[in-house]
Amino acid sequence: MTERPPRRLLLVHAHPDDESINNGATMARYAAEGAQVTLVTCTLGERGEVIPPGLAHLTGAALGEYRRRELAAAMRELGVEDFRLLGGAGRYRDSGMMGLPDNDDPGCLWQADVDEAAAHLLEVIREVRPQVLVTYDPGGGYGHPDHIQAHRIAMRAAGLAAEAGVGIAKVYWNRVPRAVAEEAFARLAEALPGLAFAGSAVLGDVPGVVDDARITTEIDGTAYAAAKAAAMAAHATQIEVAEPYFALSNQLAQPLFATEYYELARGERGAPGVPAAGGPARETDLFAGIGAPS
């Protein structure tokens, strides 16, 4: 039996590309440091809008399969070897944006039974035994039904894991501190005339922005900024990168964050490492305070 790495991180995301945008630097850093990094993606993003004109013909299952290959390429950039699809490829389909008829597709993630989907995730948890889980906040960051459902599934699976005796020590939600986002958009406004994007996104377009005091943890991934940018660029159907900025299909530029931020939702906060205005000092390690590995 192969010995488990002492630190094991599980991330649960809705579609290919979400992981690189939200956690790419974190994933690359922990993978480089020898941690077990496991990604579970809930859908193949079959209803995503395609950016390159040469790939505009891709829709439905064909787009999903293409995005699966993009995901594999992104994981190579981040050094992550363990990435999986919840319940297997095609088990849950993309639900589309909130309020669209796509939400009513009986095979989409939004219509999935949360307990059934969580049972699939529990299988991964039993195998990997992660000490740390990262997912979205209850609103899914920006209200996408698949992001909301991924949150529900991840949190339910964490509860089931605790009942099964394979509990996860710490659960984090993806966040961005408001002050950091505001400063980044101010820099973007200055750089925008030199960028090939149609315009600038606004603060409300960034998922998970909260007041700074809500942030418990910040992971400095600046050494892995290039890896994150490369992983995002690998999702070429969905993202156009001009580091340190990027745009989605709306062609509106957003900042690319190399330091990534989190809110500890369950578990005990470890020793702080970074002073923070407006709140307690922040952790600088997702594994802070976790004892000897099991």
Side-chain angles (χ1 to χ4, degrees), residues 115-167:
D115 283 340
E116 176 189 275
H120 292 306
L121 186 56
L122 179 60
E123 292 177 9
V124 179
I125 293 170
R126 285 183 181 276
E127 175 189 341
V128 175
R129 300 292 181 94
Q131 301 114 324
V132 176
L133 168 66
V134 170
T135 191
Y136 311 102
D137 63 78
Y142 70 108
H144 192 294
D146 287 339
H147 289 235
I148 294 170
Q149 196 75 323
H151 162 85
R152 293 171 177 169
I153 292 165
M155 298 304 289
R156 178 60 177 143
L160 293 173
E163 294 171 10
V166 288

Coordinates of all heavy atoms in Angstrom, one line a residue, residues 115-167:
D115 N -27.9 14.4 -1.7 CA -27.3 13.2 -1.0 C -26.7 12.2 -1.9 O -25.6 11.7 -1.6 CB -28.5 12.6 -0.2 CG -28.8 13.3 1.1 OD1 -28.0 14.2 1.5 OD2 -29.9 13.1 1.6
E116 N -27.3 12.0 -3.1 CA -26.7 11.0 -4.0 C -25.3 11.6 -4.5 O -24.4 10.8 -4.6 CB -27.6 10.8 -5.2 CG -27.1 9.9 -6.3 CD -27.9 9.9 -7.5 OE1 -28.9 9.1 -7.5 OE2 -27.7 10.7 -8.4
A117 N -25.3 12.8 -4.9 CA -24.1 13.4 -5.4 C -23.0 13.5 -4.3 O -21.8 13.2 -4.6 CB -24.3 14.8 -5.9
A118 N -23.4 13.8 -3.1 CA -22.5 13.8 -2.0 C -21.9 12.4 -1.7 O -20.7 12.3 -1.3 CB -23.1 14.4 -0.7
A119 N -22.7 11.4 -1.9 CA -22.2 10.0 -1.7 C -21.1 9.7 -2.7 O -20.1 9.0 -2.4 CB -23.3 9.0 -1.9
H120 N -21.2 10.2 -3.9 CA -20.0 10.1 -4.9 C -18.8 10.8 -4.4 O -17.7 10.2 -4.5 CB -20.4 10.7 -6.3 CG -21.5 9.9 -7.0 ND1 -21.4 8.5 -7.2 CD2 -22.7 10.3 -7.5 CE1 -22.5 8.1 -7.9 NE2 -23.3 9.2 -8.1
L121 N -19.0 12.0 -3.8 CA -17.8 12.7 -3.3 C -17.3 12.0 -2.1 O -16.1 12.0 -1.8 CB -18.2 14.1 -3.0 CG -17.1 15.1 -2.5 CD1 -16.0 15.1 -3.6 CD2 -17.7 16.5 -2.3
L122 N -18.1 11.4 -1.3 CA -17.7 10.7 -0.1 C -16.7 9.6 -0.5 O -15.8 9.3 0.3 CB -18.9 10.2 0.7 CG -18.5 9.4 2.0 CD1 -17.7 10.2 3.0 CD2 -19.8 8.9 2.6
E123 N -17.0 8.9 -1.6 CA -16.1 7.9 -2.0 C -14.7 8.4 -2.2 O -13.7 7.7 -1.9 CB -16.6 7.3 -3.3 CG -17.9 6.5 -3.2 CD -18.4 6.0 -4.6 OE1 -17.7 6.1 -5.6 OE2 -19.6 5.5 -4.6
V124 N -14.6 9.6 -2.8 CA -13.3 10.2 -3.0 C -12.6 10.5 -1.6 O -11.4 10.3 -1.4 CB -13.4 11.5 -3.9 CG1 -12.0 12.1 -4.0 CG2 -14.0 11.2 -5.2
I125 N -13.4 11.1 -0.7 CA -12.9 11.4 0.6 C -12.4 10.2 1.3 O -11.3 10.2 2.0 CB -14.0 12.2 1.4 CG1 -14.3 13.5 0.8 CG2 -13.6 12.3 2.9 CD1 -15.6 14.2 1.3
R126 N -13.1 9.1 1.2 CA -12.7 7.9 1.9 C -11.3 7.4 1.3 O -10.5 6.9 2.1 CB -13.7 6.8 1.7 CG -15.0 6.9 2.5 CD -15.9 5.7 2.3 NE -17.1 5.8 3.0 CZ -17.3 5.4 4.2 NH1 -16.3 4.9 4.9 NH2 -18.5 5.4 4.8
E127 N -11.2 7.6 0.0 CA -9.9 7.2 -0.6 C -8.7 8.1 -0.3 O -7.7 7.6 0.1 CB -10.1 7.1 -2.1 CG -8.8 6.7 -2.9 CD -9.0 6.9 -4.4 OE1 -10.1 6.9 -4.9 OE2 -7.9 7.0 -5.0
V128 N -9.0 9.4 -0.4 CA -7.9 10.4 -0.3 C -7.6 10.8 1.1 O -6.5 11.1 1.5 CB -8.2 11.6 -1.2 CG1 -7.2 12.7 -1.0 CG2 -8.4 11.2 -2.6
R129 N -8.7 10.8 2.0 CA -8.6 11.3 3.4 C -8.0 12.7 3.5 O -7.0 12.9 4.2 CB -7.7 10.3 4.2 CG -8.3 8.9 4.3 CD -9.6 8.8 5.1 NE -10.1 7.4 5.2 CZ -9.8 6.6 6.2 NH1 -9.1 7.0 7.2 NH2 -10.3 5.4 6.2
P130 N -8.6 13.6 2.8 CA -8.1 15.0 2.9 C -8.3 15.6 4.2 O -9.3 15.4 4.9 CB -9.0 15.8 1.8 CG -10.3 15.0 1.8 CD -9.9 13.6 2.0
Q131 N -7.3 16.4 4.7 CA -7.5 17.2 5.9 C -8.2 18.5 5.6 O -8.8 19.1 6.5 CB -6.2 17.5 6.6 CG -5.4 16.2 6.9 CD -4.1 16.1 6.1 OE1 -4.1 16.5 4.9 NE2 -3.1 15.6 6.7
V132 N -8.1 19.0 4.4 CA -8.6 20.3 4.0 C -9.5 20.2 2.7 O -9.1 19.5 1.8 CB -7.5 21.3 3.7 CG1 -8.0 22.6 3.2 CG2 -6.6 21.5 5.0
L133 N -10.6 20.9 2.8 CA -11.6 20.9 1.7 C -11.8 22.4 1.3 O -12.0 23.2 2.2 CB -12.9 20.3 2.0 CG -14.1 20.5 1.1 CD1 -13.8 19.8 -0.3 CD2 -15.4 20.0 1.7
V134 N -11.7 22.7 0.0 CA -12.0 24.0 -0.5 C -13.1 24.0 -1.5 O -13.2 23.1 -2.4 CB -10.7 24.6 -1.2 CG1 -11.1 25.9 -2.0 CG2 -9.6 24.9 -0.2
T135 N -14.1 24.9 -1.3 CA -15.2 25.0 -2.3 C -15.8 26.4 -2.2 O -15.1 27.3 -1.7 CB -16.3 23.9 -1.9 OG1 -17.2 23.9 -3.0 CG2 -17.0 24.2 -0.6
Y136 N -17.0 26.6 -2.8 CA -17.6 27.9 -2.8 C -18.3 28.2 -1.5 O -18.6 27.3 -0.8 CB -18.6 28.0 -4.0 CG -18.0 27.5 -5.3 CD1 -18.4 26.2 -5.8 CD2 -17.2 28.3 -6.1 CE1 -17.9 25.8 -7.0 CE2 -16.7 27.8 -7.3 CZ -17.0 26.6 -7.8 OH -16.5 26.1 -9.0
D137 N -18.7 29.4 -1.4 CA -19.6 29.9 -0.3 C -21.1 29.5 -0.7 O -21.3 29.0 -1.8 CB -19.5 31.4 -0.1 CG -20.0 32.2 -1.3 OD1 -21.2 32.3 -1.6 OD2 -19.1 32.6 -2.1
P138 N -22.0 29.6 0.2 CA -23.4 29.2 -0.1 C -24.0 29.8 -1.3 O -24.9 29.2 -1.9 CB -24.2 29.6 1.2 CG -23.1 29.6 2.3 CD -21.9 30.1 1.6
G139 N -23.6 31.0 -1.7 CA -24.1 31.6 -2.9 C -23.4 31.2 -4.2 O -23.7 31.7 -5.3
G140 N -22.4 30.3 -4.0 CA -21.7 29.9 -5.2 C -20.7 30.9 -5.7 O -20.3 30.8 -6.9
G141 N -20.4 31.9 -4.9 CA -19.5 33.0 -5.4 C -20.2 34.1 -6.2 O -20.1 35.3 -5.9
Y142 N -21.1 33.7 -7.1 CA -21.8 34.7 -7.9 C -23.2 34.2 -8.4 O -23.8 34.8 -9.3 CB -20.9 35.1 -9.1 CG -20.8 34.1 -10.2 CD1 -21.5 34.3 -11.4 CD2 -20.0 33.0 -10.1 CE1 -21.3 33.3 -12.5 CE2 -19.8 32.1 -11.1 CZ -20.5 32.2 -12.3 OH -20.4 31.3 -13.3
G143 N -23.7 33.2 -7.8 CA -25.0 32.8 -8.0 C -25.3 31.8 -9.1 O -26.4 31.5 -9.4
H144 N -24.2 31.2 -9.7 CA -24.5 30.2 -10.7 C -25.0 29.0 -10.1 O -24.5 28.5 -9.0 CB -23.1 29.9 -11.4 CG -23.3 29.1 -12.7 ND1 -23.7 27.8 -12.7 CD2 -23.0 29.4 -14.0 CE1 -23.8 27.3 -13.9 NE2 -23.3 28.3 -14.7
P145 N -26.1 28.4 -10.7 CA -26.7 27.2 -10.0 C -25.7 26.1 -9.8 O -25.8 25.4 -8.7 CB -27.8 26.8 -11.0 CG -27.5 27.5 -12.3 CD -26.8 28.7 -11.9
D146 N -24.8 25.8 -10.7 CA -23.8 24.7 -10.5 C -22.8 25.0 -9.4 O -22.4 24.1 -8.7 CB -23.1 24.4 -11.8 CG -23.9 23.7 -12.8 OD1 -24.9 23.1 -12.4 OD2 -23.6 23.8 -14.0
H147 N -22.5 26.3 -9.2 CA -21.6 26.7 -8.1 C -22.3 26.5 -6.7 O -21.8 26.0 -5.8 CB -21.1 28.1 -8.3 CG -20.1 28.3 -9.4 ND1 -18.9 28.8 -9.2 CD2 -20.2 27.9 -10.7 CE1 -18.3 28.8 -10.4 NE2 -19.0 28.3 -11.3
I148 N -23.6 26.9 -6.7 CA -24.4 26.7 -5.5 C -24.5 25.3 -5.2 O -24.4 24.8 -4.0 CB -25.8 27.4 -5.7 CG1 -25.6 28.9 -5.8 CG2 -26.7 27.0 -4.5 CD1 -26.9 29.6 -6.2
Q149 N -24.8 24.5 -6.2 CA -25.0 23.0 -6.0 C -23.7 22.3 -5.6 O -23.7 21.4 -4.7 CB -25.6 22.4 -7.2 CG -26.1 21.0 -7.0 CD -27.5 21.0 -6.3 OE1 -27.7 21.8 -5.4 NE2 -28.4 20.1 -6.7
A150 N -22.6 22.8 -6.1 CA -21.3 22.2 -5.8 C -21.0 22.5 -4.3 O -20.5 21.7 -3.6 CB -20.2 22.8 -6.6
H151 N -21.3 23.7 -3.8 CA -21.2 24.0 -2.4 C -22.0 23.1 -1.6 O -21.5 22.5 -0.6 CB -21.7 25.5 -2.1 CG -22.0 25.8 -0.7 ND1 -21.0 26.1 0.2 CD2 -23.1 25.7 0.0 CE1 -21.6 26.3 1.4 NE2 -22.8 26.0 1.3
R152 N -23.3 22.9 -1.9 CA -24.2 22.0 -1.2 C -23.6 20.6 -1.1 O -23.6 19.9 0.0 CB -25.6 22.0 -1.8 CG -26.3 23.4 -1.7 CD -27.6 23.3 -2.5 NE -28.3 24.6 -2.4 CZ -29.4 24.9 -3.2 NH1 -29.8 24.0 -4.1 NH2 -30.0 26.0 -3.0
I153 N -23.2 20.1 -2.2 CA -22.6 18.7 -2.3 C -21.4 18.6 -1.5 O -21.2 17.6 -0.7 CB -22.4 18.4 -3.8 CG1 -23.7 18.3 -4.5 CG2 -21.6 17.1 -3.9 CD1 -23.5 18.3 -6.1
A154 N -20.5 19.6 -1.6 CA -19.2 19.5 -0.8 C -19.5 19.6 0.7 O -18.9 18.8 1.5 CB -18.3 20.6 -1.2
M155 N -20.4 20.4 1.1 CA -20.7 20.6 2.5 C -21.4 19.3 3.1 O -21.2 18.9 4.2 CB -21.5 21.8 2.8 CG -20.8 23.1 2.4 SD -19.1 23.3 3.2 CE -19.6 23.7 4.9
R156 N -22.3 18.8 2.3 CA -23.0 17.6 2.7 C -22.0 16.4 2.8 O -22.1 15.6 3.7 CB -24.1 17.2 1.7 CG -24.9 16.0 2.0 CD -25.6 16.0 3.4 NE -26.4 14.8 3.6 CZ -26.5 14.3 4.8 NH1 -25.8 14.8 5.9 NH2 -27.2 13.2 5.0
A157 N -21.1 16.3 1.8 CA -20.1 15.2 1.9 C -19.2 15.4 3.1 O -18.8 14.4 3.7 CB -19.3 15.2 0.6
A158 N -18.9 16.6 3.4 CA -18.0 16.8 4.6 C -18.8 16.3 5.8 O -18.2 15.7 6.7 CB -17.7 18.3 4.7
G159 N -20.1 16.6 5.9 CA -20.9 16.1 7.0 C -20.9 14.6 7.1 O -20.8 13.9 8.1
L160 N -21.1 14.0 5.9 CA -21.2 12.5 5.8 C -19.8 11.9 6.2 O -19.8 10.8 6.9 CB -21.6 12.1 4.4 CG -23.0 12.4 3.9 CD1 -23.2 12.1 2.5 CD2 -24.0 11.6 4.8
A161 N -18.8 12.6 5.8 CA -17.4 12.1 6.1 C -17.2 12.1 7.6 O -16.6 11.1 8.2 CB -16.4 12.9 5.4
A162 N -17.7 13.1 8.3 CA -17.5 13.2 9.8 C -18.3 12.0 10.4 O -17.8 11.4 11.4 CB -18.0 14.5 10.3
E163 N -19.5 11.8 9.9 CA -20.3 10.7 10.5 C -19.7 9.3 10.2 O -19.8 8.4 11.1 CB -21.7 10.7 9.8 CG -22.6 11.9 10.2 CD -23.8 12.0 9.3 OE1 -24.2 11.0 8.6 OE2 -24.5 13.0 9.4
A164 N -18.9 9.2 9.1 CA -18.3 7.9 8.8 C -16.9 7.8 9.4 O -16.3 6.8 9.2 CB -18.2 7.8 7.3
G165 N -16.5 8.8 10.2 CA -15.2 8.7 10.9 C -14.0 9.0 10.0 O -12.9 8.7 10.4
V166 N -14.3 9.7 8.9 CA -13.2 10.2 8.0 C -13.3 11.7 7.9 O -13.2 12.2 6.8 CB -13.2 9.5 6.7 CG1 -12.8 8.0 6.8 CG2 -14.6 9.5 6.0
G167 N -13.5 12.3 9.0 CA -13.8 13.8 9.0 C -12.7 14.6 8.4 O -11.5 14.3 8.5

